[in-house]
Amino acid sequence: MSEITAPPIKNWNISLERLEKFLSDTFFTKYNLTSQLFREVHKFERLPHLKVEKRPLFSSVRGEKFEDVEMKCDFGPTWATYWFKIDLGSLDLESLKASLDVDDSFTLGLVWKCDCEALVYDSEGVPLQSFSEERTFFPLPLEQTQCKLLFVEMACNGMFGAGQHCIDPPDLQKTFKVSECKLAAKNEVAFQLYHVINMIHNAAKKLGKDSVSEPASKPDVPSARAQELQVICSQAQQFNGDNSYQSAVVGLKWTEFDPVADALCHQVSLRAALLKTSLAQYSDIFWLPDTFGYSTVLPQIANLSGIKYFLTQKLSWNLVNTFPHNSFIWEGLDGSQLLTHFPPNDNYCARLNPDELMFAEKNFKDKGRADEAMMLFGLATVLDIALLCHHHALAVLQQVRLETKKRNLCKWVGELYFELHQGTFTSQSAIKAGNNELETKLKLAEFFLALLSVRNTLDPDLSLDLEINTRRARIREAWELVLCNQFHDVLPGSCIEEVVTDALRYFGKARALIEPKRSESCAILTQWELLPASSNYFAPKFGSASLDDNPNLENEYLKAKFDNMGRVVSLKVKRGSNEEDWKDLASEEHPLNVFKLYSDMPLFWDAWDIMDYHAETGVEVKPSGKAGVTFAYKLGDSSSMQLSYCLPKHQPYLVFELNVDWYEAHKLLKVEFPFNVRAQSCFYGSQIGFVQRTNSLNTSQDTAKFEVCGHKWAAMQQHDLGCALLTPNKYGFRALESTLALSLLRSPKSPDANADMGKHRIQYALMPYEGTFQSAKVQFYADDFNARFSEFPVDVYLLGDSVADTFFDKSLMSVSSPAVKIDSLKLAQGRMDLYVLKVVEQFGSSVVCEIEFSEMMPFCSYTFCNILEEPLDGEASYEQIEGSKRDMARRYDSRTTIFSPEGRLYQVEYAIETVNHSGTCLGILAKDGVILACENRNTNPLLDDIFSSEKIYRISDHIVCSFAGLTSDANVLLTELRLIAQRYQLQFQEPVPVEQLIKPMCDVKQAFTQFGGKRPFGVSILYMGWDKHFGYQLYQGDPSGNYGGWKATCIGNNSQSAISIMKQDYKEGEMTLADAKQLAVKIFSKTLDVSVLTSDKMELAQLTKDSEGNVVSRVLPKTEVDKLIKEYEAKREQEEKEKKDASGSSK
């Protein structure tokens, strides 16, 4: 009989099905490969837990009482937080692992599966790893004692909130489950096999049976190359307050902002300021994972920030048109160019499987011009990367780089319009209004601070240094709050209700930081005659011509006529005395200011989107009543609105004010203006300059732009006539032929069911003009109107302009060209004698311009700088401003990295001088130990005594330090010293040698004397320690970065006198610890400016070995210090007595 064997020809479909079942987590799970991935070691049925209402820090949770709970129960409700304690110290993990009969290819770890977010900490509160649906296994580092006790923080919300669907409002009563909590041994070999077979299975399905081939090489898992990973962070704010991320690379900005924000430069400068005090590395890549639009000013901002590359992917979401490039040159408003790349797999969380690789290859649109592309893996494992790099038969894209050949790439000029999420221009009006208000007020606060600094520099007797530094800190804190709200789901209004509440609270905190100082600043500047004395200066009111019952309004600029429905039926620009020559922008057939209510039902992304088909549903809203100049309207079923007019005196625009009670659902309110002009395009304000867009529907690109973004103004014009619409904080426009529409309010119900519900005050203005918007100064009047709406006209009253001079005849600075705008003046970061002036060309022209400063601001020199406040081209070249009368600072003082002609670095010398004015600190090396002694200057009895020592700190068990200088600088360095010591301990499993701790710290201090924009640390540090290489040691490090070993030394005030005493009394090789303490007491008794030395004025610490040979250090209590002082006083009295006796006997 023949033997039964496998068929020689494998059926393709059956083979694919076998592979699928072999990997399935549903079928044959007792027998397939999935069953071999984990072996259970210990299951936790119950765990100690703690429920907290808010989300406290670990330090406040650890000491609380935990109670046991069954892990199968429900946890909730939404937004609640639970902490769980997992005690591994009570388990014999090695024995449990051995009982499973597994080898070293198994990894012991914690399996945690839940339907919400969680984070595991060690016993010291260090975050170790997050848990999610994709990530459920944490490998246990058994050799680390701090991992014997683990804590898990579980937040009762999913990755996308807690709604039924990802954008639904949160279900506040939702509960969550922990489906599995156990210790398990992970079979690494099985996992490798699982990933290899899974990739082969996916490749076979994607490529088909005709593509099967032998692998070019056996995959080497894990790959050394795959381990070359680096943490990438898209926003610097994540490092604020955390200085431990050395490997992170930060891109351009403070947060992943939405470009509707007008403070792009502050996004950059705040990020730069953080990097100067952080270990995070600088990057020249602008990485913007998610945003809702790409302003045409971004290439210019990037170029002025040292950015060379731009990486993003959101345009792959376009609803109508596919963007034609993946790698291209993006040219911005001023001609700035930026190498830009859109990953061809159209997402930023790739899994690196064959499906995505093949799609990326097929979807890459620049074949022939570029041969490289990026794949941004977000859900891939190290094993996936290894397989991608080494399995050449499967890999479609091997090289992952950003550089490409610029000469072959296409160029895209202007904005990158995002054809989706246009509803974010309008959603959540309160957030947009708060952002606009705070940006304006913060710019003003910075201007006031600069003026205070100028006066303080010119008149040092004012002694405003402390006040200036306090205000600077408050302004920075306020900016951080405002910029946090510019995150791309907050400012656009696509956030949940709880985030809206937080955002408005942040705005309130920012106001509280700067508002109290405004009136004080005004009083000071008025006293200096820099501002006009005015009781209502902070709230200038429009002088207006009243309508009463007269349907006409008129001033020196324009004449307007209204009908009985509140619509403008005539709007004329005055020119000459003959009214027949005045051109009319409105008519009775096509009146202006027509309100329409639209149905607003997006396909899915409710708060995000307005769809083009909404335009088919518009219904005009007519007034239901009229009282004088006020018109009342009923909006839908539940809402109402009042409209009033105002024609300001001496202003060329007509103001409309709406007070709306808004309680609609999926409705959109717009106001429309069918101008009597023949315009083929419309102009819109941007963060800098303007954007021009077509009014037609010629192409699919044109039709996709049915709702566009504009900042502060939009204008339609023909050759000799035009009209601008000014609006402080409304950003959604539509222009079709001669009609311009402004979106006022939306009413989406997801993710915030109460979005925009309530009362709204809305202002906008019509400004008719002759000629072009540039010659009519539309941009200036838009800034003026915006500032008045924000209750302070910063641009009009303070910064010079030919029009501003009409209002304020003592202009502090002015420009010679109307195309140039002085945007802001502020103090340079970290400096009291340097100022940053931001000047903007806003007409789209090339001009030569002169800036003239008044005698009140006698600046002596300048240099062009970038947004990082660094001189362009790396040079600090100054040119004298003609007509300046007074120097404000010495040139070589103003740079930490510039040598004077005498070869001196003044800033380093000033830092050393700071140390010399600080309290005395000394160290003495003895044969059986080391001591540090410090002067305690802060003896105020009202001080809360919560610290064991004011100036002596333990770095590790064998190293202690003390400092003289700025305490705030010392705190930064102490944190870094402890991190260096712990990293060495973790890496080499032994204490760090003393000098190996000090050298990298001094390298950091030296770097702060070498790079522009930084200042030296104003701290000298004494270190005492012991290691097995050199025994007891004493080191000193100074602000320049120099360090050296000493037998005895002193820093701070009176250091030279102390060193003189040490030279006389220090006995090398004979000095004991007791002798060293007495010498320290003697030095302080002779050098401190006190009549009687007490323990309140002196701190003393010692480092030595105990009887068992362990290194021990401690700060001596006051009783011991008092005892040492008494012993010294007794000895001194005895010596004086013996000296007198000897003197008497000699006579």
Side-chain angles (χ1 to χ4, degrees):
M1 293 179 65
S2 61
E3 185 177 346
I4 297 177
T5 61
I9 301 176
K10 303 290 186 181
N11 180 273
W12 178 261
N13 293 331
I14 292 176
S15 297
L16 288 180
E17 190 71 18
R18 288 185 65 196
L19 286 175
E20 182 177 324
K21 295 300 186 291
F22 190 54
L23 303 175
S24 173
D25 57 0
T26 304
F27 302 101
F28 308 106
T29 54
K30 291 185 179 181
Y31 312 102
N32 65 7
L33 183 57
T34 304
S35 65
Q36 301 301 313
L37 298 180
F38 291 100
R39 295 191 187 180
E40 184 175 305
V41 175
H42 179 80
K43 188 170 185 178
F44 295 99
E45 301 288 352
R46 299 177 65 87
L47 280 178
H49 91 299
L50 174 69
K51 180 182 179 182
V52 290
E53 294 301 325
K54 297 183 178 181
R55 298 192 173 176
L57 297 176
F58 176 87
S59 57
S60 61
V61 169
R62 181 177 181 180
E64 296 290 329
K65 182 179 179 181
F66 283 62
E67 297 180 354
D68 279 4
V69 65
E70 288 191 10
M71 299 306 293
K72 293 182 178 180
C73 74
D74 294 335
F75 297 96
T78 299
W79 310 130
T81 299
Y82 289 82
W83 286 79
F84 300 88
K85 187 185 298 184
I86 303 176
D87 186 2
L88 303 179
S90 60
L91 302 175
D92 189 347
L93 300 182
E94 292 293 350
S95 298
L96 289 172
K97 183 177 178 181
S99 66
L100 297 176
D101 190 24
V102 297
D103 56 23
D104 292 339
S105 65
F106 284 75
T107 301
L108 191 63
L110 174 67
V111 175
W112 182 280
K113 295 182 180 180
C114 63
D115 53 356
C116 54
E117 294 182 303
L119 183 64
V120 61
Y121 299 78
D122 66 15
S123 59
E124 300 299 324
V126 177
L128 301 174
Q129 180 184 296
S130 62
F131 289 116
S132 65
E133 183 180 350
E134 298 275 349
R135 196 177 193 188
T136 60
F137 182 78
F138 167 62
L140 294 175
L142 299 179
E143 69 280 359
Q144 296 183 21
T145 57
Q146 63 267 34
C147 288
K148 298 297 184 182
L149 178 65
L150 299 178
F151 291 83
V152 176
E153 179 188 18
M154 188 178 77
C156 290
N157 57 265
M159 290 278 288
F160 296 96
Q164 184 177 358
H165 300 290
C166 66
I167 70 165
D168 284 348
D171 177 1
L172 298 182
Q173 301 304 316
K174 189 174 182 178
T175 59
F176 300 83
K177 290 184 178 292
V178 179
S179 59
E180 198 168 12
C181 178
K182 66 183 180 182
L183 292 180
K186 178 182 176 183
N187 189 336
E188 300 291 354
V189 174
F191 259 89
Q192 294 175 13
L193 181 60
Y194 180 94
H195 281 272
V196 171
I197 295 177
N198 186 52
M199 181 165 281
I200 293 173
H201 179 234
N202 289 333
K205 288 196 302 181
K206 184 68 179 178
L207 300 174
K209 62 182 178 180
D210 296 333
S211 64
V212 174
S213 61
E214 291 294 327
S217 61
K218 181 179 178 181
D220 180 13
V221 182
S223 163
R225 177 178 172 183
Q227 301 290 348
E228 296 173 3
L229 306 178
Q230 193 170 32
V231 177
I232 302 293
C233 176
S234 62
Q235 50 189 15
Q237 188 199 32
Q238 293 174 227
F239 298 93
N240 197 22
D242 193 338
N243 197 30
S244 60
Y245 292 93
Q246 290 193 83
S247 60
V249 177
V250 181
L252 175 69
K253 60 259 177 275
W254 182 251
T255 60
E256 282 185 21
F257 58 75
D258 186 86
V260 80
D262 204 16
L264 297 181
C265 292
H266 278 87
Q267 287 276 357
V268 175
S269 60
L270 215 61
R271 161 263 202 182
L274 178 67
L275 286 182
K276 290 176 181 179
T277 59
S278 168
L279 296 179
Q281 301 172 21
Y282 173 80
S283 172
D284 56 4
I285 300 174
F286 179 10
W287 163 221
L288 188 60
D290 204 352
T291 190
F292 303 151
Y294 301 91
S295 170
T296 185
V297 307
L298 287 182
Q300 181 180 4
I301 298 294
N303 279 198
L304 288 173
S305 307
I307 296 295
K308 298 179 181 178
Y309 314 107
F310 181 41
L311 175 64
T312 187
Q313 61 85 44
K314 196 65 175 184
L315 286 194
S316 64
W317 285 44
N318 273 3
L319 198 60
V320 180
N321 300 284
T322 300
F323 191 74
H325 302 294
N326 290 105
S327 295
F328 60 99
I329 304 300
W330 183 16
E331 184 172 291
L333 191 65
D334 69 331
S336 298
Q337 295 188 348
L338 189 61
L339 178 57
T340 303
H341 182 68
F342 295 168
N345 61 317
D346 290 350
N347 67 62
Y348 51 81
C349 51
R351 295 176 181 268
L352 297 184
N353 57 40
D355 280 2
E356 294 193 359
L357 292 167
M358 291 297 295
F359 174 78
E361 181 195 35
K362 181 179 180 180
N363 191 47
F364 188 59
K365 304 177 186 68
D366 293 282
K367 299 182 180 75
R369 289 184 291 267
D371 54 6
E372 296 165 340
M374 292 194 75
M375 177 165 278
L376 309 174
F377 56 88
L379 297 173
T381 65
V382 171
L383 186 60
D384 293 326
I385 304 166
L387 290 169
L388 174 64
C389 295
H390 286 267
H391 222 320
H392 302 309
L394 300 178
V396 177
L397 301 174
Q398 299 174 33
Q399 187 70 3
V400 180
R401 288 169 45 192
L402 190 62
E403 283 281 7
T404 190
K405 300 165 185 169
K406 295 177 67 171
R407 65 180 183 273
N408 295 326
L409 296 181
C410 295
K411 181 168 67 174
W412 185 272
V413 180
E415 69 175 333
L416 298 172
Y417 181 81
F418 182 36
E419 298 176 2
L420 196 65
H421 295 355
Q422 295 97 327
T424 59
F425 303 149
T426 307
S427 298
Q428 298 289 5
S429 296
I431 294 179
K432 292 177 172 61
N435 179 79
N436 178 62
E437 172 201 349
L438 266 301
E439 283 187 350
T440 304
K441 289 181 177 178
L442 279 168
K443 184 164 67 172
L444 176 65
E446 290 180 324
F447 187 84
F448 274 162
L449 185 63
L451 294 184
L452 290 179
S453 180
V454 169
R455 297 298 298 181
N456 188 51
T457 303
L458 297 177
D459 187 0
D461 293 339
L462 293 172
S463 301
L464 294 174
D465 286 12
L466 180 60
E467 175 71 11
I468 290 171
N469 285 327
T470 300
R471 293 191 183 203
R472 189 205 298 263
R474 292 168 70 95
I475 290 172
R476 170 171 174 141
E477 185 179 351
W479 267 120
E480 289 180 4
L481 292 167
V482 172
L483 297 184
C484 177
N485 280 349
Q486 291 180 0
F487 182 76
H488 67 75
D489 271 309
V490 181
L491 181 57
S494 50
C495 52
I496 61 176
E497 186 173 6
E498 288 78 3
V499 172
V500 176
T501 302
D502 284 348
L504 298 180
R505 179 168 53 85
Y506 280 13
F507 286 142
K509 291 174 65 176
R511 288 188 193 96
L513 286 166
I514 60 174
E515 289 284 356
K517 298 296 182 182
R518 288 207 304 167
S519 58
E520 296 176 24
S521 299
C522 182
I524 295 173
L525 297 176
T526 303
Q527 180 182 356
W528 295 339
E529 297 183 352
L530 294 179
L531 296 181
S534 174
S535 59
N536 64 341
Y537 187 71
F538 284 113
K541 302 298 183 182
F542 290 121
S544 64
S546 175
L547 262 177
D548 296 328
D549 291 326
N550 184 357
N552 298 320
L553 282 178
E554 185 174 358
N555 66 9
E556 65 266 40
Y557 291 101
L558 60 90
K559 181 178 181 180
K561 181 179 179 181
F562 307 85
D563 64 10
N564 57 6
M565 297 177 62
R567 302 176 302 184
V568 181
V569 294
S570 177
L571 184 64
K572 296 182 178 180
V573 185
K574 289 186 174 182
R575 61 174 183 180
S577 57
N578 187 357
E579 188 169 349
E580 293 180 358
D581 295 333
W582 302 351
K583 295 188 177 181
D584 205 335
L585 284 156
S587 66
E588 293 187 0
E589 294 79 15
H590 301 288
L592 309 180
N593 200 55
V594 177
F595 297 102
K596 287 188 178 181
L597 198 62
Y598 293 85
S599 175
D600 186 14
M601 296 289 293
L603 294 175
F604 181 72
W605 302 99
D606 198 358
W608 289 260
D609 288 345
I610 293 176
M611 308 308 297
D612 59 350
Y613 52 74
H614 84 279
E616 304 169 7
T617 65
V619 176
E620 183 176 352
V621 180
K622 298 181 180 180
S624 57
K626 176 177 179 288
V629 297
T630 301
F631 297 83
Y633 298 81
K634 182 174 176 57
L635 304 174
D637 298 327
S638 308
S639 305
S640 61
M641 178 178 71
Q642 288 187 334
L643 164 69
S644 59
Y645 296 92
C646 171
L647 182 58
K649 294 179 180 178
H650 315 303
Q651 297 287 356
Y653 48 75
L654 174 64
V655 178
F656 303 78
E657 180 166 316
L658 304 177
N659 287 282
V660 188
D661 281 344
W662 183 249
Y663 298 100
E664 295 304 296
H666 291 112
K667 297 294 182 182
L668 170 62
L669 179 64
K670 288 191 174 188
V671 61
E672 299 181 356
F673 305 89
F675 297 122
N676 185 25
V677 294
R678 178 67 175 170
Q680 296 184 357
S681 62
C682 187
F683 302 89
Y684 304 87
S686 68
Q687 296 93 338
I688 303 170
F690 63 92
V691 179
Q692 184 176 359
R693 303 182 180 104
T694 181
N695 293 353
S696 64
L697 302 178
N698 292 339
T699 67
S700 60
Q701 285 78 14
D702 296 336
T703 59
K705 296 178 181 179
F706 57 84
E707 187 87 0
V708 297
C709 181
H711 286 249
K712 300 180 184 176
W713 64 275
M716 277 188 176
Q717 66 186 35
Q718 59 191 33
H719 172 68
D720 58 346
L721 183 67
C723 191
L725 176 59
L726 315 180
T727 171
N729 46 49
K730 297 297 177 184
Y731 301 92
F733 295 87
R734 185 182 189 188
L736 181 60
E737 297 180 348
S738 62
T739 299
L740 181 62
L742 175 66
S743 295
L744 300 175
L745 287 171
R746 296 187 67 220
S747 51
K749 297 303 172 186
S750 294
D752 178 5
N754 297 305
D756 279 321
M757 297 296 98
K759 297 182 181 297
H760 299 268
R761 173 177 171 256
I762 302 170
Q763 279 193 346
Y764 53 91
L766 281 180
M767 178 183 166
Y769 58 86
E770 287 188 311
T772 66
F773 72 86
Q774 292 99 329
S775 62
K777 295 186 178 292
V778 166
Q779 291 148 300
F780 168 80
Y781 285 108
D783 287 338
D784 169 37
F785 184 63
N786 177 75
R788 290 179 184 275
F789 189 78
S790 300
E791 297 184 345
F792 203 91
V794 54
D795 293 316
V796 173
Y797 285 93
L798 296 180
L799 304 182
D801 189 278
S802 56
V803 179
D805 293 341
T806 305
F807 303 94
F808 186 41
D809 58 2
K810 288 188 178 180
S811 181
L812 300 176
M813 54 192 113
S814 60
V815 293
S816 60
S817 170
V820 176
K821 168 189 173 183
I822 298 178
D823 185 74
S824 63
L825 176 73
K826 71 182 195 72
L827 268 174
Q829 294 179 15
R831 299 299 299 267
M832 300 280 282
D833 55 351
L834 291 179
Y835 304 83
V836 178
L837 181 70
K838 187 169 77 172
V839 180
V840 177
E841 194 290 317
Q842 54 184 353
F843 285 1
S845 59
S846 297
V847 296
V848 176
C849 175
E850 293 182 359
I851 304 173
E852 182 179 351
F853 297 93
S854 73
E855 293 184 357
M856 301 176 185
M857 305 185 74
F859 297 124
C860 65
S861 56
Y862 71 90
T863 184
F864 291 102
C865 68
N866 58 23
I867 296 175
L868 307 180
E869 300 180 10
E870 299 170 344
L872 294 181
D873 300 325
E875 297 182 6
S877 58
Y878 287 82
E879 297 177 4
Q880 197 71 18
I881 296 180
E882 185 177 357
S884 296
K885 297 183 178 180
R886 196 174 312 185
D887 286 346
M888 294 182 62
R890 288 180 297 176
R891 178 176 300 182
Y892 303 103
D893 285 10
S894 64
R895 291 289 185 271
T896 64
T897 60
I898 302 297
F899 284 97
S900 73
E902 299 83 19
R904 300 166 63 183
L905 284 174
Y906 284 109
Q907 290 299 314
V908 174
E909 295 182 15
Y910 296 163
I912 294 173
E913 194 64 20
T914 299
V915 172
N916 292 337
H917 285 84
S918 302
T920 307
C921 178
L922 62 84
I924 302 175
L925 182 66
K927 61 183 181 181
D928 54 346
V930 197
I931 70 154
L932 292 177
C934 304
E935 175 188 2
N936 185 0
R937 287 188 169 182
N938 197 347
T939 59
N940 193 322
L942 298 179
L943 184 67
D944 190 359
D945 189 16
I946 59 174
F947 300 104
S948 60
S949 173
E950 181 184 348
K951 298 180 69 174
I952 298 176
Y953 295 87
R954 178 179 296 173
I955 305 301
S956 64
D957 291 339
H958 67 298
I959 302 175
V960 177
C961 77
S962 183
F963 69 89
L966 297 178
T967 303
S968 56
D969 285 9
N971 289 336
V972 175
L973 298 179
L974 289 170
T975 300
E976 182 59 20
L977 283 167
R978 287 167 175 158
L979 287 171
I980 295 172
Q982 291 303 309
R983 292 191 197 105
Y984 189 97
Q985 177 77 34
L986 184 64
Q987 184 174 2
F988 299 102
Q989 298 299 306
E990 66 176 17
V992 60
V994 180
E995 188 172 1
Q996 283 190 245
L997 171 72
I998 298 167
K999 186 179 185 302
M1001 171 51 26
C1002 289
D1003 290 342
V1004 171
K1005 294 171 73 174
Q1006 190 276 335
F1008 274 72
T1009 71
Q1010 187 171 356
F1011 296 103
K1014 300 182 179 181
R1015 67 160 175 82
F1017 287 95
V1019 178
S1020 286
I1021 303 179
L1022 295 183
Y1023 307 81
M1024 65 176 180
W1026 182 94
D1027 61 45
K1028 63 184 179 181
H1029 304 286
F1030 298 105
Y1032 296 110
Q1033 297 159 69
L1034 174 67
Y1035 288 90
Q1036 174 188 334
D1038 65 36
S1040 69
N1042 288 331
Y1043 74 95
W1046 293 82
K1047 299 168 186 174
T1049 189
C1050 181
I1051 56 178
N1053 194 25
N1054 299 317
S1055 59
Q1056 293 304 316
S1057 299
I1059 291 174
S1060 298
I1061 299 174
M1062 289 176 176
K1063 289 179 179 179
Q1064 296 176 4
D1065 292 359
Y1066 183 84
K1067 298 178 175 58
E1068 184 177 355
E1070 300 177 12
M1071 184 74 67
T1072 64
L1073 206 58
D1075 297 333
K1077 295 175 188 176
Q1078 283 296 318
L1079 179 55
V1081 172
K1082 178 181 179 179
I1083 292 172
F1084 275 9
S1085 179
K1086 289 182 174 292
T1087 59
L1088 295 189
D1089 188 19
V1090 293
S1091 56
V1092 178
L1093 180 63
T1094 65
S1095 58
D1096 289 333
K1097 295 292 294 181
M1098 176 182 178
E1099 295 178 29
L1100 200 152
Q1102 68 179 35
L1103 183 142
T1104 185
K1105 285 189 174 183
D1106 61 15
S1107 58
E1108 298 178 0
N1110 298 318
V1111 178
V1112 292
S1113 61
R1114 66 187 184 95
V1115 177
L1116 273 61
K1118 289 185 176 181
T1119 54
E1120 288 192 37
V1121 176
D1122 284 330
K1123 183 179 179 181
L1124 289 171
I1125 293 173
K1126 289 180 181 179
E1127 291 176 357
Y1128 166 73
E1129 293 294 340
K1131 182 178 179 181
R1132 184 174 62 84
E1133 291 175 1
Q1134 180 65 31
E1135 289 176 350
E1136 290 179 355
K1137 182 180 179 182
E1138 293 176 354
K1139 185 177 180 180
K1140 288 182 180 180
D1141 292 342
S1143 176
S1145 61
S1146 64
K1147 291 180 179 179

